[in-house]
Each structure stands twice: as structure tokens, then as C-alpha cells.
Amino acid sequence: MTLRLAEPIARHSIASDHPVQLATPLLEVHPGLLLKFESDNPGGSHKVRAARFIVRSAIASGDIVPGHTTVIEKTGGNFGFGLALACQAHNVPVELAVGLEFSAVKRRCLELFGARLIGLDMLERGATPREVVEWHLEQANELERHYFYTDQFHNPASVAAHELETGPEIAMQLKAWPEVKKLTFVSCAGTGASLTGIATALKHAGYAVDVVLVEPQGCDSRNGIFTSHKLEGMSVGVVPPFLDWNLINEVRTVSHEEAMETRQTLARTLGFIAGNTAAACLTVAHTLARSASCEHKVLSLMYDHGLWYLR
Ligand SMILES: Cc1ncc(COP(=O)(O)O)c(C=O)c1O
């Protein structure tokens, strides 16, 4: 089997902050296994798409007024990078409460992208990032801020980002595999926005889509059961608010060791370092790709790059 790469396409979506952007690559990295390199997005992950949609829809509704409003959020992860970029594009300042567990490199990178990190002293005294945000919202007058709290776990614009942008982008790129009729989408869920948005869009595009939800060993998001784990971004301790459980055909769990083994194999065979959640999904996707065919491919996401997670 020859491996194929979908042609890069221009992104002309309403979510773009710039007139033309290249889509992230979709590659057949292993026979039968298609991988969408969301790590190639500005900000390094799929979360920039949700951040852009949230910021743009808040500007459209008047909740964010550039030159007047400051965006606030509790995140030190990928959503923070996306939000910093989305806000920069509209000249809107952004303040982030970043938990102390995030590395110094991540904090410095967030600042490099234009975010102001807030509440360090509160965090050092034991406050949670949520408490830091709540305190700032309460003190908005004294701080002379007009805050807009993006609140990614309660903002449905993130599903729209993937249903209207990422999913259709994949569907367009799938034309490079014209025989494909069926997809097994192997995905994880934090908010559940990317899983729900992409699967819905691919179904609308006419594909038969089975969805396999990947969870860290010991977690069962549907029933609100979570263990502490290192696969940062998936199964984050709350039932994913935007996960449409009707889309899920199967749930599979992966141990940290299995995910790390997959990451090592991918680094040695393909030369890229998958992020932790991508490595977990690829552990499952790689196994399922054994039963793929010309008409049926397995699809997964390279959510972000693995360099962040090497210690
Ligand atoms: C690395 C990584 N993988 C997966 C996810 C889950 O994405 P979603 O929130 O769209 O479910 C996230 C979310 O922050 C993430 O950062």
C-alpha cells in the first residue's frame, strides 16, 4: 500500500482570523490509519479552533468589546495558547490563572504569546485557578477591568468550531481517499467538543462513522469516575459537557505505559513525538487499523506535540 498525503487546502472558514490559512495536514501514517496533525495549528493544538470561535462569537454578540474588555480564563494548557492567540488577533488583553502544576516553560510560552498570568501569590497560598478567576471577577471594579470569562467547559461555541471547521476540513481532505465510505474515529474527550463536532460533521458529509472513545485506565467519564493520570487534556475529572454519548460506539481504556510505548514507537518509526492524549488514541487506532481497508479507514487526531510532556 502506498501512503498518501491529502493536499493542503486553504481555510476560508468564518473561524479564521486571517484571510487564508493552510489546513493542518491529514496523513496516512500507517496503512489504514489517517492522522490529522492538529499540532500544526498556531498555538500547537486543536484548541485554537475552539478559542477562535469563542472569541469571535463573543465579539459578534457584543460580550467582548475590543479596547474595553479583558478576557479571563483558568487554563495553562492548550486552550490558554489558543486563547492568547485568538485575543491577540483582535487586540483583546487576556489574563490566565495557570495552576502551579504547569511547567515554567509553559508559563513563559503563554506570556510570549501575549497572555498575562494572574494570581500567582493566591495560587502559592493554596487557591485553585477557579478561585483566582472568581476573585478577579468579584474585584473587577477595583481592578478597573471589564472581564469576559470564556469558560470553555460551558461555552458551546467550541463544538461549533469543530462542526463547522475541523470536521468539514477533514471531509474535504478525505477526497484524497475517494474509495473511503466508512471511518472509525478514535478520539478522547476533555470538554468533548472536538469529538462531537468532528464526528457530527463527518456524518453530515456522508460518511458512516463509528466512534471509539479512549480513556485512561481506571476512568469512566460516562459515570463520572476519574483517577489521577498523566494524559493531560482527556478525562479531566468532570463528565465532558459537550460529549454526545449517542455518537459513541465503544469505549477503550489505555494505560500510561501503553501510551508511552506507542509514543516511542512512533518517534522511532515515523520521526514525530505525539502528545500524551494523541499517543493514547494512537495505541487504540493502530490496533483497529489492522482491519481497515480501501473503503474503511481509522481516523485519529494528533492533538498536540509531545515535547511539552518530556521531563
Ligand atoms: C492535548 C489534548 N488532548 C485532548 C483534549 C480534549 O479536547 P476537547 O476539549 O475538544 O475534548 C485536550 C483539551 O484541552 C487537550 O489539550
Side-chain angles (χ1 to χ4, degrees):
M1 179 179 302
T2 352
L3 298 190
R4 270 173 284 181
L5 160 66
E7 285 295 307
I9 53 166
R11 205 186 267 164
H12 296 285
S13 118
I14 54 161
S16 300
D17 290 308
H18 306 287
V20 175
Q21 293 199 355
L22 284 186
T24 60
L26 180 69
L27 274 78
E28 190 163 10
V29 292
H30 176 83
L33 172 51
L34 303 179
L35 186 58
K36 175 84 169 149
F37 279 78
E38 285 295 281
S39 48
D40 279 19
N41 274 310
S45 84
H46 68 304
K47 293 299 279 195
V48 73
R49 302 189 191 245
R52 282 191 183 132
F53 253 76
I54 289 174
V55 169
R56 287 172 72 92
S57 54
I59 289 176
S61 66
D63 289 329
I64 293 178
V65 179
H68 180 70
T69 311
T70 298
V71 161
I72 189 166
E73 181 58 91
K74 48 171 180 37
T75 172
N78 288 321
F79 186 64
F81 288 97
L83 199 54
L85 287 171
C87 288
Q88 281 288 323
H90 298 281
N91 233 351
V92 173
V94 58
E95 298 185 353
L96 301 179
V98 178
L100 296 179
E101 70 279 14
F102 288 98
S103 70
V105 175
K106 267 200 167 165
R107 307 177 82 85
R108 277 174 46 206
C109 287
L110 284 165
E111 287 176 329
L112 206 63
F113 279 24
R116 198 170 89 84
L117 307 196
I118 53 169
L120 189 58
D121 46 346
M122 282 183 78
L123 294 162
E124 279 171 352
R125 287 199 304 271
T128 62
R130 173 188 292 278
E131 286 164 345
V132 170
V133 168
E134 283 166 358
W135 184 86
H136 280 74
L137 293 174
E138 278 160 22
Q139 303 299 315
N141 282 343
E142 287 73 11
L143 297 168
E144 297 182 353
R145 296 278 197 280
H146 292 91
Y147 279 123
F148 176 72
Y149 177 26
T150 42
D151 201 3
Q152 63 156 327
F153 276 80
H154 295 98
N155 198 321
S158 48
V159 183
H162 296 291
E163 192 170 337
L164 300 177
E165 183 182 291
T166 328
E169 190 176 297
I170 295 171
M172 195 180 296
Q173 291 175 310
L174 280 169
K175 289 181 183 160
W177 291 268
E179 314 86 358
V180 173
K181 307 266 179 303
K182 182 175 176 182
L183 295 163
T184 299
F185 180 34
V186 180
S187 174
C188 66
T191 63
S194 50
L195 186 156
T196 297
I198 293 171
T200 305
L202 291 173
K203 285 190 176 194
H204 284 162
Y207 292 97
V209 184
D210 277 356
V211 181
V212 178
L213 172 69
V214 178
E215 300 226 60
Q217 204 168 43
C219 289
D220 174 2
S221 294
R222 192 195 293 258
N223 293 307
I225 298 168
F226 299 98
T227 55
S228 83
H229 62 82
K230 296 183 195 144
L231 305 177
E232 191 183 298
M234 70 199 279
S235 309
V236 294
V238 289
V239 178
F242 301 122
L243 184 53
D244 178 353
W245 290 99
N246 294 319
L247 294 167
I248 307 297
N249 298 87
E250 193 186 337
V251 180
R252 292 207 185 186
T253 58
V254 169
S255 69
H256 187 72
E257 292 68 32
E258 287 169 321
M260 294 307 101
E261 207 178 304
T262 300
R263 185 161 79 184
Q264 178 170 301
T265 306
L266 292 170
R268 292 180 184 184
T269 54
L270 297 171
F272 61 74
I273 303 176
N276 289 357
T277 56
C281 290
L282 286 166
T283 305
V284 173
H286 190 260
T287 308
L288 294 175
R290 283 189 206 128
S291 55
S293 64
C294 289
E295 292 187 353
H296 171 206
K297 302 281 184 198
V298 176
L299 168 72
S300 198
L301 302 183
M302 176 81 159
Y303 293 95
D304 68 355
H305 200 279
L307 267 182
W308 286 124
Y309 307 99
L310 297 180
R311 292 185 199 275

